[in-house]
Amino acid sequence: MANVAVIGAQWGDEGKGKIVDWLAERADMVVRFQGGHNAGHTLVVGENVYKLSLLPSGIVRGTPSVIGNGVVLDPWALKAEIERLGEQGVHASPETLRIADNCPLILPIHRDLDGLREDASGAGKIGTTRRGIGPAYEDKVGRRAIRVCDLAHLDDLGPQLDRLCAHHDALRAGYGEPPVDRERLLADLREIAEFVLPFAKPVWRDLNEARTGGKRILFEGAQGVLLDIDHGTYPFVTSSNTIAGAAAGGSGLGPSGVGFVLGIAKAYTTRVGSGPFPTELEDETGQRLGERGHEFGTVTGRKRRCGWFDSVLVRQSAAVGGITGIALTKIDVLDGFDEVKICVGYKLGDQTLDYYPTHAADQAKVVPVYETMEGWQESTAGARSWADLPAQAIKYIRRIEELIRCPVALVSTSPEREDTILVRDPFAD
Ligand code: GDP
Ligand code: IMO
Ligand code: MG
């Protein structure tokens, strides 16, 4: 099986974009299967920096790219992103980009609702990206969504729109908002339909054909396992399954087509938005990690919270996410620390835990148990082979492998595409 699924093993922003771009050189197709434009994937190629939210990262190399049915698609955000990338010389055409015609749309009313709920939640705020992701998935599951294929049948949308608006009008009234302006919504959809429809296809056919033809398919996950709707730190999660299993349902290829699952993990931990974070450092060390790692959100510009590597969480992610091997990124950010710490367990009252408890109150209460290792003063930045790494950095990586019970397949040593060490080729598995 030559296919590879890349998923985040922490709370997102692990460097998935960089690794997908690197692997895309050898892929025949890159597929997004969940999430939406809440994602922010950064690719650095020489002097050029590309920031992708909705488009699969393969598009930068010109690798045929697919947005699968598991994604929630904001058609206006799609247009803006395609135009922005066009200015950078990256062109998405119906030949290079295909969008599943059964993909549900994010509408302006979803964005409204996301913001209204966040503003009304006080301390219970999730800290969403306010892109309308949660409300759009709710409408999909509630069988009220408007999908890409509907854009070709807008004159027949009546009953569907009745169902959608009845639901949203009731919610909006509760927030003191006027009912949905149906005429305006239809007019906006008519206008954007022209742009989106040339990309729309039953992509499951292309994927199955590619698979039968022995092509290499690279799945690009968004967010991370700890933000998964089932396995993450609920309710401080996103509204989709981010685990590798979602690649099958979110693309139309089936579970046996997923292949090697490459989990991306930073050599430390970050989180953006609310929710528990056992190893968070609200001190100078945390600040140093944030500064060295440039930890600001790609999508919202929000400062990311930083802390030490948590092996309990990544071990759990590897288990529930179906991870075969890890790509450890941003090891260079730890250069120059006298000592580095790894969380190896938790204390919850007088109990010792080797897993993350399920309830949010317990998740917030656990106290990490740390193992301290000597740091390294040499630079790992830009290293492209194992031999370029200082002995202490190798020890750190080996210890992580042991603790998370999963081999390291790749190590990333800078934002730049080529600054990557290959330990075990995911495509060769
Ligand atoms: P994604 O959402 O998982 O694709 O990750 P983001 O792009 O949101 O955030 C990762 C950030 O780290 C980006 O700015 C990358 O350019 C950068 N990055 C990726 N790998 C490395 C690395 O090995 N070292 C350093 N210093 N930065 C990296
Ligand atoms: P990438 O793909 C990091 C977080 C938000 C919030 C929670 C729910 O770049 O790794 P949502 O808008 O999805 O309803 O927000 O999830 N979040 C991310 N955090 N990286 C992401 O994507 C994220 N996408 C959503 O900050 O806490
Ligand atoms: Mg990101």
Side-chain angles (χ1 to χ4, degrees):
M1 172 57 58
N3 298 342
V4 176
V6 167
I7 62 168
Q10 292 156 324
W11 278 293
D13 302 326
E14 301 90 348
K16 296 176 292 293
K18 162 172 171 166
I19 301 296
V20 169
D21 167 62
W22 189 80
L23 288 169
E25 187 185 13
R26 287 175 301 134
D28 296 300
M29 220 178 235
V30 181
V31 185
R32 276 283 305 269
F33 56 88
Q34 47 72 230
H37 66 310
N38 50 348
H41 297 178
T42 316
L43 282 59
V44 179
V45 187
E47 297 293 293
N48 299 311
V49 179
Y50 304 95
K51 289 179 188 291
L52 306 180
S53 285
L54 199 44
L55 295 176
S57 295
I59 204 89
V60 171
R61 287 192 188 262
T63 309
S65 295
V66 170
I67 296 180
N69 57 279
V71 168
V72 279
L73 183 100
D74 179 327
W76 297 278
L78 174 80
K79 182 165 185 268
E81 189 168 326
I82 289 179
E83 287 171 357
R84 186 166 47 76
L85 278 168
E87 285 163 18
Q88 286 189 279
V90 174
H91 300 288
S93 68
E95 281 71 52
T96 53
L97 174 68
R98 281 158 248 172
I99 301 175
D101 55 4
N102 52 349
C103 194
L105 297 181
I106 299 183
L107 303 172
I109 51 175
H110 295 126
R111 210 180 323 124
D112 292 350
L113 193 56
D114 200 348
L116 288 166
R117 280 182 181 155
E118 283 288 277
D119 290 340
S121 294
K125 191 148 90 170
I126 308 277
T128 73
T129 58
R130 294 175 174 256
R131 300 290 193 265
I133 305 291
Y137 274 119
E138 287 170 32
D139 280 347
K140 168 183 173 171
V141 177
R143 294 160 294 182
R144 296 178 294 269
I146 296 178
R147 303 189 299 169
V148 167
C149 55
D150 292 317
L151 294 173
H153 297 272
L154 288 173
D155 291 334
D156 307 326
L157 211 56
Q160 222 166 315
L161 212 51
D162 288 343
R163 201 161 48 235
L164 180 72
C165 291
H167 181 77
H168 277 265
D169 287 349
L171 289 171
R172 292 169 70 92
Y175 289 107
E177 291 293 310
V180 179
D181 183 343
R182 291 174 61 142
E183 291 314 309
R184 166 96 193 270
L185 177 59
L186 264 176
D188 288 347
L189 286 172
R190 255 183 245 293
E191 196 186 336
I192 200 70
E194 222 176 292
F195 181 83
V196 177
L197 284 173
F199 297 99
K201 284 188 83 176
V203 299
W204 62 269
R205 297 183 71 221
D206 294 353
L207 288 171
N208 278 276
E209 199 177 298
R211 184 187 183 191
T212 315
K215 301 271 199 257
R216 289 171 158 175
I217 302 171
L218 177 57
F219 293 98
E220 177 175 6
Q223 291 82 52
V225 174
L226 302 174
L227 289 169
D228 182 277
I229 185 74
D230 287 291
H231 297 288
T233 47
Y234 194 91
F236 302 102
V237 292
T238 192
S239 296
S240 65
N241 281 115
T242 58
I243 50 170
S251 66
L253 196 63
S256 60
V258 175
F260 189 102
V261 181
L262 183 65
I264 317 298
K266 270 182 206 180
Y268 50 102
T269 314
T270 64
R271 168 161 212 172
V272 54
S274 324
F277 180 175
T279 63
E280 182 170 16
L281 296 166
E282 289 174 282
D283 59 4
E284 250 171 57
T285 309
Q287 207 163 336
R288 185 167 165 198
L289 285 171
E291 278 163 20
R292 287 190 54 84
H294 304 288
E295 297 296 354
F296 293 92
T298 313
V299 170
T300 56
R302 288 179 292 175
K303 202 169 165 198
R304 296 177 185 146
R305 301 153 64 192
C306 297
W308 294 120
F309 187 86
D310 189 333
S311 72
V312 181
L313 285 181
V314 177
R315 182 166 65 232
Q316 197 157 323
S317 288
V320 302
I323 293 171
T324 329
I326 287 279
L328 196 69
T329 62
K330 305 190 95 162
I331 186 84
D332 54 298
V333 173
L334 296 181
D335 293 352
F337 279 81
D338 290 334
E339 52 182 38
V340 284
K341 293 188 182 185
I342 304 177
C343 169
V344 295
Y346 302 125
K347 285 272 181 211
L348 180 63
D350 48 14
Q351 271 181 293
T352 302
L353 301 181
D354 62 357
Y355 67 96
Y356 203 34
T358 308
H359 197 274
D362 290 337
Q363 292 185 343
K365 244 188 282 170
V366 297
V367 177
V369 177
Y370 286 113
E371 190 172 289
T372 303
M373 294 181 78
E374 192 189 320
W376 54 92
Q377 299 310 311
E378 305 90 328
S379 168
T380 64
R384 295 184 182 186
S385 82
W386 203 245
D388 295 338
L389 295 177
Q392 271 311 121
I394 293 177
K395 259 197 194 164
Y396 180 72
I397 298 169
R398 291 298 186 212
R399 183 64 184 138
I400 283 178
E401 272 184 322
E402 219 168 66
L403 288 165
I404 64 173
R405 298 186 198 128
C406 191
V408 167
L410 292 166
V411 181
S412 168
T413 59
S414 100
E416 165 60 38
R417 178 188 270 173
E418 297 302 332
D419 292 339
T420 307
I421 302 172
L422 177 65
V423 185
R424 170 178 171 192
D425 185 355
F427 275 126
D429 253 65

